[in-house]
Structures are given as C-alpha cells and as structure tokens.
Amino acid sequence: MSKSNNVYKDAYNRCLRLLDETRSLPSEPELGTLLGVSRTTVRTILARMEETGLIAWNKRAKTVLREPRPDDFFPEEETDTLAEIIERSFMRRLLAGGAEAGMQINELELAREIGVGTTSVREFLIRFSRFGLIEKRRNSHWVLKGFTRAFALELTEIREMFELRSAAAFAALPQDSAVWADLDRLEDEHRLLASEIATRFNEFSELDERFHRLIHRASHNRFIVDFYDVIAMIFHYHYQWNKAQERERNEVAIGEHLAYIEGLKSRDLGKVDAACRKHLKSARQTLLTSIPESRPPQKS
Amino acid sequence: MSKSNNVYKDAYNRCLRLLDETRSLPSEPELGTLLGVSRTTVRTILARMEETGLIAWNKRAKTVLREPRPDDFFPEEETDTLAEIIERSFMRRLLAGGAEAGMQINELELAREIGVGTTSVREFLIRFSRFGLIEKRRNSHWVLKGFTRAFALELTEIREMFELRSAAAFAALPQDSAVWADLDRLEDEHRLLASEIATRFNEFSELDERFHRLIHRASHNRFIVDFYDVIAMIFHYHYQWNKAQERERNEVAIGEHLAYIEGLKSRDLGKVDAACRKHLKSARQTLLTSIPESRPPQKS
DNA sequence: AAACTGTTTTTTCACGATAAAAGACATTAT
DNA sequence: ATAATGTCTTTTATCGTGAAAAAACAGTTT
C-alpha cells in the first residue's frame, strides 16, 4: 500500500472550508502556502474539485460553482498521519491498564496489531523514546518504563525548573516586545472561558498549552522549548484519561493562570515567582493524583 | 545485503582477548553475558574459533589450542554499528565546514554518499534530532540549525542548571551510598592522570565523561541523566575537532575536577556550588572559543 | 519581468522481504 | 534437579521498491 494520501485528504477538507467564503480560489502557489502543502498536492485537490463539480477550473480561473456538502469531505480518520495513528494506539494500550513497568515492547506485534509496517512503528518508538517512558535494549527489544509516580515527579521537577526560568525571562522582556500583546490576548481568552466555564470547560486544555508555550518561548532556549513537547504530550493524554472533576480543576487553573499573568505584567520577579510556583504546584498535584497506585510486586 | 554481522565480529574480537587469559572458555550462557550477546552469536563465534584452530570445541569442553594472532581479529571498521558509521559521516560533514545554518539535509543524498539504505539514515536523523542541531519540516526535508554560538550557549545553560542541581543532590547523599567509593576511585584516576599528563592528556575526555555522568546520576532524574548524552556527544566531537592547547586545557580541567571532588566530599553545599560553577564556566569558555565565528550572510 | 500554470524530476514515506541476532523449547549431561 | 547443549522460532536491522508529495524546470499569461 506504500503510502497513504492523508496529506492530500486533509488539505482537501481544509480547502473545502475555504470554499464557503469566496467566489473564486487564489493562485496555486498561494493556496499551497495557505494549506501548508506543495503545489503538486494543490493541483490534485483542484482536479478533484473540478471533477466533483465544486469548481470550474481553467488555468487561473477557479470559480466556485456550489457550496460543499457534508459528503464532499473525506472521513476524518483518513486524514490522520500514520504517526498519529500509531501514537494513539500505543497510548491506548499504555493507559488502558495492564501495562506494567518492565514489560517488553514488541515491534512486530505492535505493527501487526495496528496494521502498519514495522518501519513506521520503529520510527515512532525512536521518536517517542525522548519522552522517557520507554528505553531500548541494544540489538533487542524496547522496555516499558511505565507511567509511574517516579516519572511524574521527574517530569515536573524539570518542568518547574524550566518554567520558573522562562517566566523570569518573560517578565524581563522589554515593553515593546510583541509577547505582551500575545499575553493580553491570552488573558482575554482566559476571562472569556472563565465566564462560560460551565459549558466550555473542556476547551481549557488547548488554552493551557498555548499559554505555557508562550512563556517557555521567552527562554530562547531550544531545549526548554522542546521539553514542553514532553509535558504537552503527557498532559494531553492525562486530560483524556482523567475526567474526574475536570470542570473544577480547570476553573481553579484558570484562576491561577490569571494571577500568573498579572504577576508577569507587574514585572515584579517576586510576584512572578510566587504565582508560577503556586500554579505549578497544583498542576503537579493534579497529575500525581491521576496516576494509578503501583501495585506491590505480586507472586502468582 | 540486509544486515551486517558487526555484532558477531565485535564480540568475536573481544572474545579473542579473553583467550589470552585462560586455558578454556566458560559455558555458552556465561560467555553470552560476558560479551553482551545472545547464545546464538556465542555459538557462531565458537564455531569459527574451532574452524581456525584456536580452540577445540566439544560440548562443554572448549580448550584453547593457541594464542590468537593479529590476523585472527576482524578489522576494526567491520565492527562498527551502522548508526556509528552514519553518525561519523554526518558529523564530519557538519564540522568540516561548509555546513551553513539553514542548509537543508537530504536523506537520499546522505544515504547514497555513505552507502547505506535510506531507512537507516532516517532513523539516525530522528534519533539525532534530540540534540537540537537539526529540525524536521513536516512532510519535507530536515533543516540544519548549525553548530553555532547560540547553540553552545543554550546547551551550557541547561547543563549548568542540571549539574548544579545534581551536584547538590550528590553532596546530600548518605555516607553509606556506593557513590562515595566511586568518587574516590575517580579521584585516584584523576591524580594518576595528572601525574602523567605529558603523555596521557588525550585520555582525559573519557574520564571527564565518567565523572560528570556519576554526578548527574545523583539527580535520580531520567531527563537530567539523558541530557548528558547531548553534552557528551558535543564534547566528543569538540575534542576531536579542536586540538588547540589540548594538553593545557585538560590539565586545568583536571585541577578543577579535583577541587570539585573535594567540594563534594566536604558536603558543604556552598563549596560544591562554587567549585561546580567554576569548572562549568571554564568548560563553557573552552567550547565557545572553539566555535567558528559565524560569517555575516554573504552576497555572491 | 513578475507571477502563474504545465511538466518532469527528486525526495520522502511506508511497505514487504531477508539475513543477523535474540529468544524459546527440547534434550542431554552433571 | 540444575544447568548445560542442540534445535527451532521469533524478532530486529536493513535494504530495495513504489506511490505520495515536494521541488525544480520550462513554458505562458498578464
């Protein structure tokens, strides 16, 4: 089967949404940058849109003929990257219990189970290894280290170190830096979300990530910025998995963020430090309580 | 060609060295753990040793018949992992100038040039990406970020953060911890090397790594321990590349290490901090001076 | 001439296949 | 009964291959 055309399908779907807004589409290169794909893919999209009667396409003229219908879209699941598919499957197994620390991971078995080639699984595991949850035995299998309490503590230790430093760097940024406007915008979003928390509490996770990434970027250190990928990944699955008191937790977190933002805006390093520490402490607590207590080793 | 048998060849060579010391070899499983390979590989080794008349092999009896000659060994270059070969080639290109930041990296070209499959190159690049020197453009090529001054500063910033914390953790370890004996042993090695510095100065690099890894391990944090891989990798190639005043530099570093060790042994956090800071500062300086000044962008 | 479209080439992504190496199972020796 | 050896099976490491996607080149249009 070689390679799926999910890039095309995903871009096609996104292009359909563009159709709603205009009478005619822009030039091929412009569409390319807009959708983040190459001209080759753009042309494949246009060809299909012409075929299905969505547009009339003649050289520069790309006139919209009709509005896209729901059945014009490719199904969601066909637009995913292989890497995403593998990650989801892998994390499901990992979190759905039965994933004891020390267990070995079998590339071939994983590949068969997910229905993909071994190369993709191998590459996924290599990429995934930087999250510190698995480890490779030379010339042999991978070992699962497990989503344990120790892991959470090690992760948050680094996170706190990095974020305190980033926050301090942030507060020291000159007044004319563009980040202050970004921060204002994020503050507004926080206030809005707080006011509609009853219905939109599940949108916090995404806002949370954007907020912390903004702060980490102020460190101007690629290792700090990159490390947020680890945190984001863990929290992403953590949010999916642990829905207990989600609304309350998020409400509290929004309040902490607002205090944190206020601290940053005051540019008073003491205040920044205190607000940051407070938020990180409760974030760590949330993560820790969600970790299943490790059973003592059992004799069978 | 599928897969080279470098594991076998390397283990075979190491096994030859064992032959010097004994009249007969131990059991297959024992040899396996000794050499770090499976029994399958052990048996391949034994079969060949029998063939070349090095041993007589009959079930449990594996009697050494003669001393190994130089031509019994497989050539060094055949014992390297593909990953090592690729890394060396890649780093040579990267350091041998002409590697401007922003340049794109071509998997296929690299693979052809080194004479390996693209899969191996891909896997190497994925693994290598955590060092922060390259970055992937989605669905497209890799981009070289370059071994720049900014990189060195970001790297050392994290290093200093991590090592100060690890050193403090180290000093706080209970007296009966095994690390103190390890530290004593390392101290002895440092003193010995210092006394023979004129001839053995190039052995420092390896000692340096062992010393710092010991300290980092005291953090009990996988992210800190793993980060030392980045540092080790950079310093490894840095040492190979920049031989200017190697002897003097290493002599100074040994002195700093000894002061650092003394600080740790005193368990006085102030002393530890001071000695650690001093050493890290000069390590950073050494690294920085070795980085070629980035030319201003040239119009051709 | 600048920006677009049409066409061709190159590169990336993913697979199945195969040898090396690991691991499991059965058998034999202490 | 334990621990070795002998044999067979499974898994990992690596390649070549082909389709998807990107990129380069050439020819048109404004």
Side-chain angles (χ1 to χ4, degrees), chain A residues 2-3 27-28 39 43 60 62 117 119-120 139-141:
Chain A
S2 220
K3 191 182 179 182
S27 77
E28 294 172 14
R39 248 189 76 216
R43 300 189 109 239
R60 297 177 186 221
K62 307 173 196 78
T119 314
S120 316
N139 284 318
S140 182
H141 53 260

Side-chain angles (χ1 to χ4, degrees), chain B residues 52 61 133 246 257 282 291:
Chain B
T52 53
L133 286 169
E246 192 182 0
H257 276 194
S282 79
I291 289 176

Side-chain angles (χ1 to χ4, degrees), chain B residues 182-199:
Chain B
D182 294 334
L183 190 66
D184 282 338
R185 231 169 295 126
L186 277 173
E187 185 178 2
D188 291 343
E189 290 192 63
H190 273 88
R191 293 202 191 286
L192 190 65
L193 193 55
S195 70
E196 301 170 15
I197 191 70
T199 54

Side-chain angles (χ1 to χ4, degrees), chain B residues 258-272:
Chain B
L258 286 168
Y260 191 175
I261 292 172
E262 197 184 332
L264 289 168
K265 286 172 116 172
S266 78
R267 303 159 136 261
D268 173 336
L269 287 185
K271 274 191 191 167
V272 171

Side-chain angles (χ1 to χ4, degrees), chain A residues 143-160:
Chain A
V143 177
L144 182 66
K145 290 172 129 188
F147 187 60
T148 62
R149 199 177 167 76
F151 174 81
L153 288 171
E154 290 166 39
L155 180 77
T156 49
E157 181 182 8
I158 307 297
R159 181 194 188 173
E160 283 158 28

Side-chain angles (χ1 to χ4, degrees), chain B residues 28-52:
Chain B
E28 295 173 14
E30 203 168 328
L31 260 177
T33 41
L34 212 64
L35 298 169
V37 295
S38 75
R39 248 190 77 217
T40 309
T41 305
V42 168
R43 299 187 108 237
T44 322
I45 292 170
L46 291 173
R48 162 136 184 154
M49 287 190 163
E50 188 183 22
E51 225 173 65
T52 53

